[in-house]
Amino acid sequence: MAREYAQDITTPQFAYDKSWVDIEGMLDRAERKQNKHYIAMQNCKKKERMHHMRNYKALEGVVKALRWVLGDKDIDHPLE
């Protein structure tokens, strides 16, 4: 059973069917959502601020990865 599980991990099922327009649209949505969390973080109480801060930081990684995929010259590596 463990062997089957390991085999599933090493053989991902990628479709490679996203267009540049799809990726650019996702980047736009991610940046807009990140901006909403930033604004909300500035105007809320401490308990709510943590929620918005976590989401803001998570979207920061999404934005960086999408910019890397699109070839942004300012992004050397999306994980750094």
Side-chain angles (χ1 to χ4, degrees), residues 10-74:
T10 59
T11 56
Q13 301 296 318
F14 297 123
Y16 298 106
D17 65 349
K18 303 297 185 253
S19 70
W20 292 113
V21 173
D22 292 335
I23 296 168
E24 289 169 348
M26 183 65 67
L27 174 60
D28 182 59
R29 288 177 55 205
E31 288 176 330
R32 288 174 186 268
K33 196 167 189 178
Q34 185 183 31
N35 288 336
K36 286 181 183 179
H37 283 292
Y38 182 81
I39 291 167
M41 188 171 47
Q42 304 301 315
N43 302 318
C44 66
K45 295 181 181 178
K46 185 176 181 179
K47 186 176 179 182
E48 295 169 342
R49 188 173 298 131
M50 293 304 293
H51 164 78
H52 293 295
M53 191 178 297
R54 277 191 301 270
N55 285 299
Y56 176 85
K57 291 302 287 180
L59 286 163
E60 192 173 77
V62 171
V63 167
K64 190 174 186 181
L66 289 169
R67 288 186 168 280
W68 178 79
V69 166
L70 290 168
D72 187 332
K73 295 182 193 259
D74 293 332

